[in-house]
Amino acid sequence: MQLILASTSPYRRELLGRLRLPFDTARPEADEAALPGETPAALAGRLALLKADVVAATHPDAWVIGSDQVAELDGAPLGKPGHRQAAIAQLGAMSGREVHFRTAVALTGPGNPTRMVLDTTTVRFRSLTADEISRYVDAEQPFDCAGSFKAEALGITLFESIHSTDPTALVGLPLIATARLLREAGFLLP
């Protein structure tokens, strides 16, 4: 069975590679803008489904995984910062606060209904000084990461705690849920 990851994210590619299944990647051409009034959880779920469906439309005989993550602060979504000043502003806003990371994964396959799972990870940031934030941003340049940090690297130093049912979800692909969806679809995993 052909498996395609509907993402060009190096973080998701590395995570899916841990399952030791052969897979390809494809860029999902999808508008990722939030809809009016859409919650961060709904946005993550909709985009995971959309990415899977877009790639599946051009690969009808393949199984396709779509995933998306949205950081949520005070009920509002935080996107990828894109540049240094936005990353500094995001981390400043999250300093001393709890942030929820909504990570959705969807699996669609030939003749099968699409299945989707949503994981929530709660991160408590420690109180950060402006100098700490600047040093971190300059060291890792996390401009392509929701929430402006890389938890798998130096970003872990920004936290007081992480509460999660899946430690890989915060990096961008909840492998516990992904493995379950793949087993249900007939992929052979331990």
Side-chain angles (χ1 to χ4, degrees), residues 40-42 44-45 68-72 100-104 118-122 169:
D68 198 77
Q69 182 178 77
V70 178
E72 177 183 346
H100 304 288
F101 289 83
R102 313 295 185 183
T103 309
L118 179 69
D119 180 273
T120 297
T121 299
T122 301

Side-chain angles (χ1 to χ4, degrees), residues 123-143:
V123 175
R124 177 98 173 129
F125 283 80
R126 62 185 180 79
S127 293
L128 303 167
T129 67
D131 187 52
E132 288 173 320
I133 291 170
S134 292
R135 281 196 324 264
Y136 171 73
V137 168
D138 291 342
E140 288 210 308
Q141 301 181 4
F143 310 136

